[in-house]
């Protein structure tokens, strides 16, 4: 057990969370095993039960621990946080499956618009008279609602995509098999937004809860935009990681503007 550093700027609860995570990584407690009660751990670390509760809540949030009412707290069957590395040239769904997570979705709305919004026209590089297909999907990870995806496509590239069911409920598979379209590059932007009432209900969270908005444009090999999407993720269920080899881009006094690019899914 690593002692708490009272002089550290890192909060005590987070020091404990990191130590518990390391102990689980070393298999001090194995998958499915119950960890000691909150009161006992608080006594061992020399902290209050409130601090101990905060530390355990951090690991529950990351999916490392799971609480079972009336039974205690156990090491999760998948003791790992859900982290998506934006620097990797791999699809998000593919990355999830490699990590042992199950990704599914449900189409909430599918429609063709004949007067697209200005922002959609700009991102898809189309004119005001060009029809646009729109899909709104609720995304689930391990059967838990985790994100809302809104996607727009030029109808000329994907005729009828809003009128037909997705192949195996997969958008990427539908684009590849039905239309022969394989994106090769993406540009992304990240920002934090607040959950509106309708989105909060879909995601089973509170109004004004922080969400991570991931805006993406996928491009074909000829440089033509294929898809413009806005995906709002529950901030406590996913983390995004970005690596940089340019030290100037992470300097404290560097301009706070980053263009994210990666090979597409």
């Amino acid at each position: 057990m690593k002692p708490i550093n009272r002089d550290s700027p890192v909060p005590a609860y987070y020091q404990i969370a990191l130590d518990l995570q390391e102990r689980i990584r070393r298999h001090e407690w194995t998958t499915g095993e119950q960890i000691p009660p909150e009161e006992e751990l608080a006594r061992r670390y020399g902290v209050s039960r409130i601090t101990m509760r905060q530390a355990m809540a951090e690991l529950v949030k990351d999916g490392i621990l799971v609480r079972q009412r009336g039974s205690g707290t156990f090491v999760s069957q998948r003791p790992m946080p859900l982290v998506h590395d934006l620097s990797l040239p791999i699809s998000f769904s593919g990355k999830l499956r490699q990590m042992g997570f199950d990704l599914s979705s449900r189409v909430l709305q599918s429609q063709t618009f004949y007067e697209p919004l200005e922002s959609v026209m700009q991102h898809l590089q189309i004119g005001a008279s060009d029809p646009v297909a729109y899909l709104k999907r609720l995304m689930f990870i391990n059967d838990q609602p985790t994100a809302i995806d809104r996607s727009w496509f030029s109808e000329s590239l994907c005729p009828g995509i809003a009128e037909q069911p997705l192949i195996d409920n997969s958008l990427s598979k539908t684009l590849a098999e039905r239309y022969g379209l394989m994106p090769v590059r993406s540009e992304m932007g990240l920002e934090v937004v607040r959950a509106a009432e309708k989105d909060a209900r879909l995601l089973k969270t509170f109004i004004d809860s922080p969400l991570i908005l991931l805006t993406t444009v996928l491009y074909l090999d000829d440089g033509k935009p294929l898809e413009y999407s806005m995906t709002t993720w529950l901030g406590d269920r996913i983390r995004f990681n970005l690596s940089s080899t340019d030290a100037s881009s992470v300097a404290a006094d560097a301009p706070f503007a980053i263009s994210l690019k990666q090979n597409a899914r």
Side-chain angles (χ1 to χ4, degrees):
M1 178 184 299
K2 188 175 182 180
I4 302 300
N5 182 354
R6 303 291 180 179
D7 297 324
S8 172
V10 179
Y13 83 89
Y14 198 70
Q15 293 183 51
I16 295 171
L18 292 176
D19 186 54
L20 288 173
Q21 184 172 349
E22 176 62 19
R23 293 168 70 181
I24 292 171
R25 190 191 66 81
R26 296 197 309 263
H27 303 293
E28 184 170 332
W29 301 294
T30 58
T31 297
E33 183 178 349
Q34 184 176 6
I35 69 170
E38 191 176 276
E39 313 88 78
E40 181 180 338
L41 287 173
R43 187 172 61 254
R44 290 184 188 179
Y45 281 103
V47 297
S48 68
R49 286 191 60 181
I50 294 177
T51 299
M52 195 66 233
R53 190 173 298 121
Q54 284 181 294
M56 295 175 71
E58 191 72 17
L59 299 188
V60 169
K61 179 192 72 174
D62 285 344
I64 296 172
L65 295 178
V66 59
R67 287 195 175 104
Q68 295 183 11
R69 188 181 297 274
S71 299
T73 304
F74 298 79
V75 178
S76 172
Q77 295 297 318
R78 297 185 177 92
M80 63 186 73
L82 174 52
V83 180
H84 180 42
D85 193 336
L86 293 175
S87 304
L88 293 177
I90 186 172
S91 73
F92 182 59
S93 58
K95 177 67 174 178
L96 279 177
R97 293 186 180 97
Q98 283 187 6
M99 296 171 64
F101 291 91
D102 177 57
L103 177 67
S104 59
S105 65
R106 183 173 77 236
V107 176
L108 302 176
Q109 182 181 355
S110 57
Q111 188 174 349
T112 300
F113 292 95
Y114 295 91
E115 294 182 358
L117 299 172
E118 181 68 27
S119 60
V120 175
M121 289 190 292
Q122 291 177 356
H123 285 97
L124 292 180
Q125 300 176 16
I126 58 175
S129 60
D130 295 328
V132 169
Y134 170 72
L135 294 176
K136 178 182 177 181
R137 298 178 296 155
L138 180 60
M139 314 297 290
F140 299 85
I141 295 179
N142 291 345
D143 296 324
Q144 292 188 339
T146 305
I148 299 171
D149 178 73
R150 296 170 171 88
S151 297
W152 293 265
F153 307 85
S154 172
E155 177 71 13
S156 63
L157 285 177
C158 316
I161 192 171
E163 282 73 47
Q164 303 176 60
L166 299 177
I167 298 175
D168 294 338
N169 206 30
S170 167
L171 181 55
S172 58
K173 190 171 184 178
T174 300
L175 291 171
E177 296 186 7
R178 184 178 296 162
Y179 301 102
L181 298 173
M182 296 286 293
V184 298
R185 182 174 64 86
S186 67
E187 294 185 359
M188 298 181 175
L190 277 175
E191 62 181 295
V192 177
V193 297
R194 293 288 179 180
E197 183 177 355
K198 290 183 178 179
D199 286 358
R201 284 203 303 268
L202 287 171
L203 294 171
K204 298 182 180 179
T205 189
F206 299 103
I207 296 175
D208 285 342
S209 295
L211 304 176
I212 300 174
L213 174 60
L214 179 63
T215 303
T216 308
V217 181
L218 298 181
Y219 294 89
L220 300 171
D221 57 4
D222 61 0
K224 183 179 298 184
L226 168 62
E227 176 188 357
Y228 166 54
S229 67
M230 299 178 69
T231 310
T232 47
W233 294 88
L234 276 172
D236 62 351
R237 295 189 188 169
I238 188 169
R239 295 179 182 177
F240 293 95
N241 182 61
L242 174 66
S243 301
S244 175
T245 56
D246 180 4
S248 65
S249 69
V250 294
D253 57 352
F256 194 69
I258 301 176
S259 176
L260 305 178
K261 298 184 179 182
Q262 70 172 61
N263 293 334
R265 55 189 170 183

